[in-house]
Each structure stands twice: as C-alpha cells, then as structure tokens.
C-alpha cells in the first residue's frame, strides 16, 4: 500500500496514477477534499503535458508569474 499525505492537486493526481497498479490511501487533514480552498493550487502549463484536465469552473484565478519563497 502507498500512503499519500494531502489531497491537493499534486497528491490527488499522483494517487490517481498510482491507483492503476497499487493500493493507495490518501490522508487529508480537512473533512472534505477541496474544502476549504487553501492549498497553493498553483499549476503551470506543464500540467497540460501531464494530461491533467482541470474543469474551468474550479479555477479561481489565473496568474502570469509566480514566485515561491520557502522559509528555509
């Protein structure tokens, strides 16, 4: 069994890929997936190469540039 921590965009997508061949369990701290909307949810144009189809109705905002700064 494979455990994935977090049901955000990356965790959910990875789980869907792995579940084709392995047993997968996802651990999520919130009671519902996608609620509240507070993960970064940043997906780039590279998501198209991964064949991720994102429904337009769940896109909150589109940005042209992103800069992420880690505390470390």
């Amino acid at each position: 069994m494979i455990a994935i921590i977090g049901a955000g965009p990356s965790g959910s997508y990875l789980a869907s890929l792995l579940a084709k061949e392995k047993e997968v369990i996802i651990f999520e701290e919130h009671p519902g997936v996608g609620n509240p909307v507070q993960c970064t949810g940043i997906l780039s144009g590279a998501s198209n190469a991964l064949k991720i189809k994102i429904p337009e109705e769940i896109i909150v905002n589109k940005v042209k540039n992103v800069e992420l700064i880690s505390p470390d």
Side-chain angles (χ1 to χ4, degrees), residues 1-20 22-34:
M1 176 179 293
I2 297 172
I4 296 178
I5 310 301
S10 298
S12 296
Y13 181 64
L14 178 61
S16 72
L17 293 177
L18 294 172
K20 294 175 183 176
K22 305 285 183 184
E23 186 175 349
V24 177
I25 184 168
I26 301 176
F27 292 94
E28 171 59 42
E29 68 178 323
H30 300 104
V33 174

Side-chain angles (χ1 to χ4, degrees), residues 12-61:
S12 296
Y13 181 64
L14 178 61
S16 72
L17 293 177
L18 294 172
K20 294 175 183 176
E21 298 183 19
K22 305 285 183 184
E23 186 175 349
V24 177
I25 184 168
I26 301 176
F27 292 94
E28 171 59 42
E29 68 178 323
H30 300 104
V33 174
N35 191 14
V37 179
Q38 62 186 31
C39 71
T40 60
I42 297 170
L43 297 174
S44 70
S47 61
N48 294 334
L50 298 173
K51 298 181 181 157
I52 299 173
K53 178 68 175 149
I54 303 169
E56 284 291 324
E57 64 270 12
I58 69 168
I59 297 174
V60 176
N61 194 12

